[in-house]
């Protein structure tokens, strides 16, 4: 079928085109709102700036298709094959991409506000500058999760997104907005979160081993039981964060702001805490063995039963702090 015939049939009121084979078809700028193209073969199709709002593209083959600038708001792409497709600047607000294969696709500057991405495979996809506010990527089952492994999400807007259990290992989230995002149980191993905004984010039980959080904003974030061994958190702002039972062994937190944090039972053994600010922090039973606390600020901090064995405390300020033995430092 030629593009003109499809458009004419659609304009005549026909919308059902299930299983149609249209590889390489040119439908650039076409108005196909509400069209049903389930299981259609649209490999390499040109859908540049096409109007596909509320279209049904379930199980469709769109490998290598060009959907740049297309309008796909509230469209259903569940189970679709979108590998290497180009969605640069596309509108996918409220779209359903559940269980779709989006590996290595380009979604730069795309609008995915409120999109359903549960179970989607976005590994290696480019989402630089994309807006995913309120998007749902929540893990449904233990072995069923959204895959964003090695995805590029630099400067993406993920405020309030539900990313519980998502695989973001080795992803680039530098400068991303993750304010109040749900990242509970997420896999963030070796993820780049440099200068990311994680203010108020939920990171309980998340795995951030070897992650880069230099300059990140973690104000009032919840990192209870999070794993951050060997993480880089130079000059990170963690003021008021909940970090109880956190693992920061061998992490680099030099110059970090940890004032007013709750770090009871935190493991900071062998961590670099040079010049870190722990003013008024709770560090009850914290493990700081062999940590570098040079020039750190512990003014009015609570260090009751903390383990400071062999820690380097040269130049550290403990004025008004409750020391491990329960005595107030003068």
């Amino acid at each position: 079928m030629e593009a003109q015939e499809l458009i004419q049939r659609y304009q005549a009121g026909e919308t059902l085109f299930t299983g149609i084979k249209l590889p390489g078809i040119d439908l650039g700028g076409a108005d196909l709102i509400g069209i049903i193209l389930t299981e259609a073969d649209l490999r390499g199709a040109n859908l540049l700036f096409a109007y596909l709002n509320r279209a049904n593209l379930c199980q469709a083959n769109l490998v290598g298709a060009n959907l740049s600038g297309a309008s796909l708001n509230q469209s259903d792409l569940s189970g679709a094959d979108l590998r290497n497709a180009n969605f640069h600047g596309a509108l996918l607000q409220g779209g359903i991409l559940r269980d779709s294969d989006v590996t290595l696709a380009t979604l730069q500057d795309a609008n995915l506000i409120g999109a359903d991405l549960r179970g989607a495979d976005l590994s290696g996809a480019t989402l630089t500058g994309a807006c995913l506010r309120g998007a749902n990527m929540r893990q449904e089952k233990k072995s069923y999760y959204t895959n964003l492994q090695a995805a590029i999400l630099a400067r993406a807007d993920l405020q309030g997104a539900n990313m519980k259990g998502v695989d973001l290992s080795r992803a680039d989230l530098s400068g991303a907005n993750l304010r109040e995002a749900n990242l509970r149980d997420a896999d963030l191993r070796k993820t780049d979160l440099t200068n990311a905004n994680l203010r108020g984010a939920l990171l309980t039980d998340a795995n951030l081993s070897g992650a880069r959080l230099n300059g990140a904003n973690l104000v009032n974030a919840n990192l209870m039981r999070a794993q951050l061994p060997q993480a880089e958190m130079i000059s990170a702002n963690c003021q008021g964060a909940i970090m109880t039972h956190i693992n920061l062994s061998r992490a680099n937190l030099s110059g970090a702001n940890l004032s007013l944090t709750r770090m009871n039972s935190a493991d900071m053994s062998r961590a670099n805490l040079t010049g870190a600010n722990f003013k008024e922090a709770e560090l009850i039973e914290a493990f700081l063995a062999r940590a570098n606390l040079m020039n750190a600020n512990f003014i009015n901090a609570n260090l009751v039963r903390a383990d400071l064995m062999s820690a380097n405390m040269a130049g550290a300020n403990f004025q008004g702090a409750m020391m491990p033995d329960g005595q107030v430092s003068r």
Side-chain angles (χ1 to χ4, degrees):
M1 185 188 298
E2 298 295 323
Q4 192 60 36
E5 181 185 349
L6 175 69
I7 292 169
Q8 287 175 351
R9 286 169 62 176
Y10 172 81
Q11 289 175 342
E14 189 176 348
T15 58
L16 182 60
F17 296 93
T18 298
I20 197 167
K21 299 188 184 302
L22 302 167
I25 194 167
D26 186 356
L27 291 165
D31 183 348
L32 298 166
I33 293 171
I35 194 168
I36 300 169
L37 289 161
T38 53
E39 300 179 3
D41 184 356
L42 294 158
R43 287 172 295 163
N46 177 24
L47 293 156
L48 180 74
F49 295 116
Y51 293 90
L52 292 158
N53 306 61
R54 299 192 178 186
N56 189 337
L57 290 149
C58 291
Q59 307 293 327
N61 185 345
L62 287 151
V63 173
N66 183 5
L67 292 127
S68 182
S71 183
L72 291 142
N73 290 337
Q74 298 177 48
S75 60
D76 191 344
L77 289 146
S78 53
D81 192 343
L82 308 170
R83 289 174 295 162
N84 293 296
N86 184 359
F87 288 91
H88 190 165
L91 303 176
L92 288 149
Q93 189 166 343
I96 302 170
L97 289 92
R98 194 165 182 173
D99 301 320
S100 57
D101 188 346
V102 203
T103 53
L104 299 174
T106 298
L107 291 119
Q108 185 174 346
D109 299 320
N111 182 345
L112 289 146
I113 293 174
D116 186 349
L117 293 156
R118 286 174 292 174
D121 188 349
L122 289 138
S123 53
T126 300
L127 293 118
T128 306
C131 186
L132 294 110
R133 285 197 177 206
N136 188 0
M137 292 169 256
R138 184 183 70 242
Q139 182 180 20
E140 294 291 291
K141 302 173 185 175
K142 196 167 186 179
S143 58
Y144 177 79
Y145 58 90
T146 304
N147 186 358
L148 281 156
Q149 194 175 103
I152 302 171
L153 289 145
R155 301 183 305 283
D157 190 347
L158 292 143
Q159 182 167 329
N162 190 341
M163 306 176 82
K164 181 182 181 293
V166 172
D167 186 351
L168 285 153
S169 55
R170 295 182 291 108
D172 181 359
L173 283 154
S174 55
N177 179 16
L178 290 149
R179 183 168 180 158
E180 297 175 354
N182 181 355
L183 288 153
R184 183 170 185 171
D185 294 311
D187 187 347
L188 292 149
R189 288 174 296 169
K190 296 186 177 178
T191 299
D192 189 353
L193 288 152
T194 304
N195 296 321
N197 182 5
L198 289 148
R199 188 183 185 103
L202 182 62
L203 287 148
T204 54
D205 300 300
N207 189 345
L208 292 118
S209 303
R212 293 187 294 279
L213 291 130
N214 299 329
N217 181 356
L218 288 148
V219 172
N220 297 328
N222 189 336
L223 292 112
M224 188 182 296
R225 297 182 302 277
Q227 299 297 310
L228 290 103
Q230 300 182 30
E232 292 182 17
M233 299 179 69
I234 299 169
S235 300
N237 186 0
C238 305
Q239 184 174 8
I242 300 171
M243 305 172 84
T244 53
H245 300 279
I246 195 172
N247 182 358
L248 287 160
S249 60
R250 298 182 186 275
N252 187 351
L253 292 111
S254 55
N257 181 9
L258 295 149
S259 60
L260 300 169
T261 54
R262 288 165 55 190
M263 303 188 76
N264 302 333
S265 301
D267 182 355
M268 289 177 277
S269 56
R270 296 183 174 86
N272 182 0
L273 297 157
T274 306
N277 181 13
F278 288 95
K279 186 176 180 181
E280 298 182 29
E282 283 187 16
L283 294 150
I284 299 168
E285 296 183 345
F287 188 45
L288 291 149
R290 302 193 67 182
N292 187 353
L293 306 175
M294 187 180 291
N295 299 320
N297 178 6
F298 287 94
I299 292 174
N300 297 328
N302 188 343
L303 288 146
V304 171
R305 297 188 299 280
D307 189 341
L308 295 164
M309 183 178 64
S310 302
N312 180 2
M313 295 182 278
N317 187 348
F318 290 95
Q319 184 179 351
M322 188 78 74
M323 299 306 285
D325 59 4
Q327 298 296 311
V328 177
S329 178
R330 302 296 180 189

